[in-house]
Amino acid sequence: MEEKNEDEGKSDQRPYLPPPPKQISFIDPKKLDASLKGYGQNNFVQFLIYRFGKAKAMQAVEAYKIGTSKRWPGSNIFWQIDEGHKIRSGKIMLYDSSTGKRQNKNSWVHSVLKLEDFNLNQCLFGAHLIRSEPMYKPVAIVESEKTAIIASILKPDFIWLATGGKAGLKVGKFKYLSDRDIILFPDLTKPGDKFNCYEMWTNFAKQLTDDLPGVSIQVSNYLETRATVEEKIQALDIADYFLKWESDNVANEANEPPQKPFILEQKKCIEEDEEIRLETEIKDLSKKIYQVIQGIRRERAKESKFRDEIRNHFIPENKIQSVQKILGEYRREYGY
């Protein structure tokens, strides 16, 4: 006979404890400070200076802490600095200094520095600007860092932030914005693409309102409803329109406003969306009221029928009491 351990074959009854969440990693601020120079060799900064003049360009460079990288000649760094001014990392990119077009080169600062066990937890690009801006100033969120920077120069009425990508919207990135007015500006999507940016961002806005009740968020349909097929093929963003309007203004001898005033049109879009929302709510409310009225009419018909039965026939006392109880409940509920 073989001896058997009493515990042999028994499953481990200890409750499963998930591993603790990994701590967010940060970059040494000295690395950021060391990158804030060499702008003569920074293609993106040179494009901003060429396009908007040195004063406006350098004001944006200072606000967004645009750095210079040695990763590739002419490359720049878009630092991700969160609302607490901690540096999550930096995205290294390369642009053409004349056209501002992005070249097919990108990397991350923590990868270049070869930081071991680095846990990248991204935030919205430009998040560090929030606390220094007045509460009445709305937050505009776009996809690319370049778009946010250009828009901040041409439309300073907004605080311009960027997700860093089409799928960069996460609820956790918005918790510190719950008391702000937020407008999302999705890029145009090329015909045939699997994921439509406007649809993705509209769905996210619905999710955000569920997770953060009371948050004020709108999705701009300005590009989606006005873009030509050619503009969709080019996958233009709101900054492309801003640049075109500015060029139109410069070429206009009378220096008149562009033909498509963005701010007024945007407000109009929001007002139209609000009207649609109110109309939908009124229709839903009317439907509920109609259903309640119909229910009351049905109960009154039943009451009338029972009264006739009481007058013409003998009905047991317990049935009468039961009906009276039901009618009393409906009277209390609907107030008639």
Side-chain angles (χ1 to χ4, degrees):
M1 299 288 291
E2 292 184 2
E3 292 186 5
K4 290 187 177 181
N5 190 327
E6 291 183 1
D7 295 331
E8 186 177 343
K10 291 184 178 180
S11 61
D12 191 348
Q13 299 298 317
R14 291 174 297 179
Y16 171 74
L17 296 176
K22 293 181 66 176
Q23 293 293 320
I24 299 174
S25 300
F26 299 102
I27 299 289
D28 186 346
K30 293 180 181 178
K31 299 295 183 182
L32 183 149
D33 294 337
S35 73
L36 303 181
K37 60 183 180 181
Y39 293 128
Q41 291 75 47
N42 186 316
N43 286 3
F44 181 70
V45 174
Q46 288 303 304
F47 165 74
L48 293 179
I49 294 174
Y50 165 75
R51 197 67 178 76
F52 306 109
K54 189 171 183 178
K56 290 183 178 180
M58 296 312 296
Q59 184 178 1
V61 168
E62 182 179 350
Y64 286 93
K65 307 293 183 185
I66 302 172
T68 301
S69 173
K70 297 179 181 179
R71 181 70 177 85
W72 302 287
S75 59
N76 64 281
I77 305 174
F78 292 134
W79 292 102
Q80 285 196 7
I81 311 169
D82 63 25
E83 68 278 10
H85 290 264
K86 292 184 178 181
I87 306 163
R88 301 292 182 97
S89 190
K91 187 185 294 185
I92 304 174
M93 305 188 75
L94 182 64
Y95 289 85
D96 185 286
S97 60
S98 300
T99 63
K101 297 295 183 182
R102 181 167 60 89
Q103 309 300 299
N104 191 24
K105 292 183 182 294
N106 58 78
S107 184
W108 287 95
V109 169
H110 64 273
S111 297
V112 173
L113 295 177
K114 298 181 179 179
L115 300 179
E116 295 183 4
D117 300 322
F118 191 89
N119 180 30
L120 174 62
N121 192 314
Q122 297 188 55
C123 64
L124 293 172
F125 174 73
H128 63 285
L129 301 172
I130 292 298
R131 292 183 178 177
S132 60
E133 294 287 356
M135 290 300 300
Y136 62 80
K137 203 170 185 180
V139 175
I141 297 180
V142 294
E143 183 175 326
S144 79
E145 297 87 351
K146 170 191 168 183
T147 300
I149 293 166
I150 291 175
S152 73
I153 296 173
L154 296 176
K155 300 296 177 184
D157 297 332
F158 294 82
I159 307 170
W160 292 91
L161 310 182
T163 63
K166 184 186 296 185
L169 292 175
K170 307 293 180 184
V171 173
K173 297 179 181 180
F174 283 75
K175 290 183 177 179
Y176 67 96
L177 297 174
S178 58
D179 54 353
R180 294 273 188 172
D181 291 330
I182 305 169
I183 304 177
L184 305 182
F185 291 93
D187 289 2
L188 291 173
T189 302
K190 293 181 180 180
D193 277 9
K194 185 176 180 180
F195 299 104
N196 182 283
C197 190
Y198 177 77
E199 293 177 358
M200 288 176 62
W201 286 29
T202 300
N203 292 333
F204 170 79
K206 294 176 182 176
Q207 177 191 350
L208 187 66
T209 53
D210 291 338
D211 293 344
L212 296 177
V215 68
S216 173
I217 185 167
Q218 299 279 346
V219 183
S220 172
N221 62 357
Y222 190 87
L223 302 187
E224 199 70 16
T225 58
R226 290 165 175 76
T228 64
V229 174
E230 181 62 29
E231 288 171 337
K232 290 183 178 181
I233 292 174
Q234 297 177 42
L236 300 184
D237 58 33
I238 196 67
D240 293 314
Y241 280 72
F242 289 166
L243 290 171
K244 181 180 182 302
W245 297 343
E246 191 209 24
S247 298
D248 291 344
N249 266 351
V250 171
N252 191 336
E253 294 180 357
N255 197 27
E256 296 176 353
Q259 295 301 312
K260 297 181 179 180
F262 163 74
I263 301 298
L264 294 178
E265 289 287 346
Q266 177 56 35
K267 287 182 178 178
K268 182 179 178 182
C269 288
I270 295 174
E271 290 171 357
E272 289 174 353
D273 291 342
E274 183 67 13
E275 287 179 4
I276 294 172
R277 184 185 67 80
L278 290 174
E279 286 179 3
T280 303
E281 289 184 359
I282 291 171
K283 288 179 181 178
D284 291 341
L285 185 59
S286 299
K287 185 178 180 181
K288 290 179 181 178
I289 293 173
Y290 174 77
Q291 291 172 346
V292 170
I293 292 173
Q294 290 297 101
I296 293 172
R297 287 175 177 171
R298 285 193 296 270
E299 294 307 320
R300 283 181 173 173
K302 289 181 182 179
E303 180 182 2
S304 177
K305 180 180 179 181
F306 280 121
R307 289 184 186 278
D308 292 340
E309 289 181 357
I310 291 172
R311 283 194 297 267
N312 301 322
H313 304 281
F314 172 76
I315 299 177
E317 185 66 24
N318 62 342
K319 188 173 182 181
I320 295 173
Q321 292 176 354
S322 175
V323 172
Q324 287 175 341
K325 183 179 178 181
I326 293 173
L327 292 174
E329 290 176 354
Y330 270 89
R331 288 193 181 99
R332 285 192 295 271
E333 182 175 354
Y334 297 109
Y336 76 93

